[in-house]
Amino acid sequence: MALNKSMHPRNRYKDKPPDFAYLASKYPDFQQHVHTSLTGRPIVNFKEPEAVRALTCTLLKEDFGLTIEIPLERLIPTVPLRLNYIHWVEDLIDGQKQPRRGIDIGTGASCIYPLLGATMNGWYFLATEVDDICFDYAKKNVEQNNLSDLVKVVKVPQKTLLMDALKEETEIIYDFCMCNPPFFANQLEAKGVNSRNSRRPPPSSVNTGGVTEIMAEGGELEFVKRIIHDSLQLKKRLRWYSCMLGKKCSLAPLKEELRKQGVPKVTHTEFCQGRTMRWALAWSFYDDVIVPLFVILQSPPSKKRKLEKAQKPLSFTLPEAGVKELQAKASAAGCSSSSSVDSITALLEKTLTELRVLHKRVPSRQQEQSLFLTAVENTWIHGRQKRREQTRQLRELPRAPPCAGASIQTSAAIAAPVSTANDKSQDADLKGKTVSSKEPSTETETTAERKEEALANAGVEDVDMNSSVCPEPGQETDVKTPAAASAGDTGRPRTPGGVEQFLFKCLLNVIPEGSDVEIEMYWVEGQNKDLMNQLRTYLRNTLLKSVGKV
């Protein structure tokens, strides 16, 4: 079953696979490898090295204007899969059509990563190679595409990775490194003996490549561990270190190795193309780099469901009339933006702050806003029950004696709960206040809600505050819950990325849909997806209730 729909969103082949019939009519060298199936469809036999090479060269020429030569006895890359890696690095370094510096470890005869990166984005590459034949072809491919000013191919000794390659360039800070390491430890592994599940069908494409390209001592696991070892010495000489993996079982031990070494930023993803799966791992020693979130939102294919199914978000839509009223509410609360998306986002941030759900804004598409949420405790269910319990506790609190000179106008005001945080706040609350003629029960519930809101606002030390909505006038922001007090003692607020124990993490997107606004919530990880659904319902009801109160 093909995995093309799980390709990177920007991969040009995701929704428009190569048209073999058109390419065959335009390129005679490719035409001889295109056959017609029993159903009348043009097909290519991927078990023929010549056919795979012809397709790769044809796609690079047609879609990128690149002319390359690849010997049959060396690794022949597939363009869509390599393009996935390039796009992922773009996301890591925010390098789409931006000048960046990168290193390709073991560039191969095709030199495909530097050629694609330089052509698409103007990136500068230092491309290393240990094999003489690959080195010669790589240099030739760079020169015949007039990219020598952007791509430098260097011959390095065997077993050299990063340290030796950077000896001569001690002052340059690189944005990233890429690597397609040798996947296998020996010939038996390369042939699939003892390394491939017997229930899996045989590979659908031919395995080409020289010894140094497909085999290394210890296989890809030990090879990448050597890159990790080099990165521990180079550290901030590169902003991102990355590599592609051919086996999913290699991912967990490599992530554990990075954790043991105390590497602060680690992320991974999957690359899908045809029936081929690859995995990628990246890490950084910089604290200010942003790990792209959507790379983990496309949940890994599962044996329990169809592979091409994308993860569907939980969502709800705010109609145009409600959006306008919410904009007015946000504007009254201090949000200066005229954008409906910004206003809704600000109101959501305010609600999340009151719920003590950790949140921070993350990069998003144009005209949209994205929040990364980490729920540490369930504060959004049984709200009425909690308010009643809080009211009962407030009634049982001993009342402080009234301040001298304070006049109490009605008996209803005496019955109303009074904050006993300190004598000063009580005095300020009573002086000059006009008492409403509402029934005592309503007055009590309103005060309890205000008290709850004050307690929620006291917990702002537990969240990453980026909200543009100011607290409502009259809220007490100096009252702290025990949890907030303990959090404050640490001297530094917690952020969504720094929490070890949590209920769940999700990405919330605020998206304009014509005159309406849609809110989407994507599951990232956690204990129970029902909790995210509960939070979505609470946020929707809170916004809709706000519309009725405007």
Side-chain angles (χ1 to χ4, degrees):
M1 186 175 295
L3 301 170
N4 287 8
K5 290 186 179 179
S6 298
M7 284 183 179
H8 190 284
R10 290 197 303 278
N11 194 315
R12 66 187 302 142
Y13 305 109
K14 181 177 187 293
D15 299 314
K16 189 179 179 182
D19 186 340
F20 291 160
Y22 168 76
L23 294 173
S25 66
K26 188 174 179 179
Y27 298 93
D29 290 343
F30 178 62
Q31 184 180 26
Q32 59 182 313
H33 301 289
V34 178
H35 311 286
T36 304
S37 69
L38 295 176
T39 59
R41 294 174 53 233
I43 58 172
V44 172
N45 185 358
F46 288 96
K47 291 188 177 294
E48 295 179 359
E50 296 86 353
V52 177
R53 179 175 64 177
L55 177 59
T56 293
C57 294
T58 299
L59 290 179
L60 290 174
K61 181 65 176 178
E62 173 68 16
D63 296 327
F64 303 96
L66 293 169
T67 302
I68 69 167
E69 297 178 21
I70 313 171
L72 287 176
E73 65 272 15
R74 292 298 181 265
L75 189 66
I76 301 171
T78 52
V79 178
L81 186 59
R82 267 54 177 187
L83 199 55
N84 276 336
Y85 197 174
I86 288 286
H87 287 315
W88 191 59
V89 171
E90 288 174 350
D91 298 328
L92 285 174
I93 64 174
D94 190 23
Q96 189 177 4
K97 298 192 183 304
Q98 299 291 328
R100 296 288 187 266
R101 286 184 172 270
I103 301 172
D104 182 20
I105 303 172
T107 194
S110 65
C111 199
I112 189 167
Y113 289 130
L115 292 180
L116 286 175
T119 301
M120 294 166 58
N121 299 313
W123 291 348
Y124 171 83
F125 266 93
L126 176 64
T128 69
E129 184 52 61
V130 300
D131 181 80
D132 289 330
I133 294 177
C134 288
F135 173 73
D136 292 337
Y137 271 90
K139 283 200 69 175
K140 182 178 180 181
N141 287 329
V142 170
E143 291 169 358
Q144 69 183 6
N145 286 285
N146 299 317
L147 290 172
S148 298
D149 56 334
L150 291 176
V151 181
K152 178 182 178 182
V153 184
V154 295
K155 179 76 164 54
V156 293
Q158 286 280 354
K159 296 187 177 181
T160 294
L161 296 178
L162 285 170
M163 294 298 295
D164 292 339
L166 294 178
K167 278 182 178 179
E168 298 180 2
E169 303 186 31
T170 56
E171 303 299 323
I172 298 177
I173 302 297
Y174 283 86
D175 294 288
F176 66 93
C177 74
M178 305 176 70
C179 181
N180 185 17
F183 294 154
F184 309 112
N186 50 54
Q187 286 282 4
L188 290 178
E189 246 189 48
K191 293 178 180 179
V193 179
N194 298 328
S195 67
R196 191 176 182 88
N197 192 315
S198 58
R199 291 174 295 179
R200 289 180 61 190
S204 58
S205 60
V206 67
N207 181 18
T208 65
V211 174
T212 58
E213 293 179 298
I214 64 174
M215 286 186 293
E217 185 179 350
E220 66 179 10
L221 187 61
E222 292 303 318
F223 192 95
V224 177
K225 282 185 178 181
R226 287 165 51 203
I227 298 179
I228 293 175
H229 177 75
D230 279 5
S231 73
L232 293 172
Q233 300 178 64
L234 294 169
K235 289 197 173 179
K236 294 191 175 183
R237 287 286 307 279
L238 284 81
R239 290 186 66 82
W240 278 105
Y241 299 84
S242 76
C243 60
M244 185 164 70
L245 304 171
K247 304 175 186 176
K248 187 177 182 180
C249 62
S250 300
L251 191 60
L254 290 173
K255 290 175 68 177
E256 177 63 18
E257 179 69 18
L258 290 168
R259 187 194 66 79
K260 286 180 180 179
Q261 299 297 342
V263 179
K265 294 290 178 71
V266 180
T267 187
H268 72 279
T269 191
E270 293 180 343
F271 299 142
C272 309
Q273 174 233 324
R275 291 178 174 82
T276 302
M277 291 290 301
R278 292 289 182 265
W279 294 263
L281 179 67
W283 63 98
S284 175
F285 295 90
Y286 281 82
D287 294 324
D288 60 339
V289 297
I290 299 175
V291 178
L293 295 171
F294 64 86
V295 297
I296 58 175
L297 297 180
Q298 297 176 343
S299 59
S302 169
K303 295 179 182 178
K304 297 179 181 179
R305 60 186 174 89
K306 290 185 177 181
L307 298 185
E308 73 272 15
K309 271 192 176 179
Q311 181 187 8
K312 292 184 179 179
L314 297 176
S315 63
F316 62 91
T317 302
L318 299 171
E320 179 182 2
V323 168
K324 290 182 179 178
E325 295 185 24
L326 289 171
Q327 276 188 275
K329 178 180 175 67
S331 178
C335 178
S336 58
S337 175
S338 60
S339 165
S340 60
V341 168
D342 291 342
S343 298
I344 301 299
T345 303
L347 292 174
L348 287 169
E349 286 177 317
K350 181 175 183 293
T351 302
L352 292 168
T353 299
E354 293 168 353
L355 291 174
R356 297 190 291 278
V357 174
L358 311 186
H359 60 278
K360 66 177 179 180
R361 294 198 183 193
V362 294
S364 60
R365 296 175 182 174
Q366 194 172 5
Q367 297 182 338
E368 298 179 9
Q369 289 288 359
S370 295
L371 300 174
F372 185 56
L373 313 185
T374 301
V376 181
E377 56 179 324
N378 190 338
T379 56
W380 51 85
I381 63 169
H382 307 309
R384 182 176 297 178
Q385 179 182 341
K386 290 177 182 178
R387 286 195 296 271
R388 287 176 180 170
E389 178 64 19
Q390 200 167 36
T391 301
R392 185 187 65 77
Q393 292 176 358
L394 287 171
R395 284 174 180 162
E396 294 176 357
L397 287 175
R399 241 182 247 126
C403 299
S407 62
I408 302 177
Q409 300 295 328
T410 66
S411 59
I414 297 175
V418 179
S419 173
T420 57
N422 53 55
D423 290 341
K424 291 183 180 180
S425 62
Q426 181 192 36
D427 187 38
D429 190 60
L430 291 176
K431 283 185 180 180
K433 182 179 287 188
T434 303
V435 179
S436 171
S437 59
K438 293 181 181 178
E439 293 181 6
S441 61
T442 307
E443 181 73 18
T444 300
E445 186 174 349
T446 304
T447 309
E449 290 177 358
R450 188 166 63 248
K451 178 73 174 179
E452 184 181 19
E453 192 170 0
L455 291 173
N457 283 336
V460 296
E461 293 190 34
D462 285 343
V463 297
D464 185 11
M465 290 298 296
N466 290 319
S467 175
S468 58
V469 177
C470 300
E472 294 289 341
Q475 287 182 337
E476 299 173 10
T477 57
D478 59 339
V479 182
K480 288 188 178 181
T481 63
S486 63
D489 293 340
T490 63
R492 187 174 63 178
R494 291 187 296 170
T495 60
V499 178
E500 295 183 0
Q501 301 295 331
F502 56 87
L503 296 177
F504 67 87
K505 296 180 181 180
C506 70
L507 183 70
L508 185 149
N509 292 331
V510 185
I511 305 169
E513 292 287 346
S515 300
D516 302 337
V517 172
E518 185 174 8
I519 287 85
E520 295 181 343
M521 296 176 70
Y522 287 88
W523 176 264
V524 175
E525 60 177 325
Q527 301 175 13
N528 193 334
K529 290 187 179 181
D530 288 340
L531 295 173
M532 185 177 78
N533 190 26
Q534 293 172 5
L535 179 59
R536 179 205 63 149
T537 303
Y538 183 94
L539 294 175
R540 181 193 62 191
N541 293 344
T542 301
L543 290 174
L544 293 178
K545 273 195 244 180
S546 299
V547 171
K549 294 179 181 178
V550 175

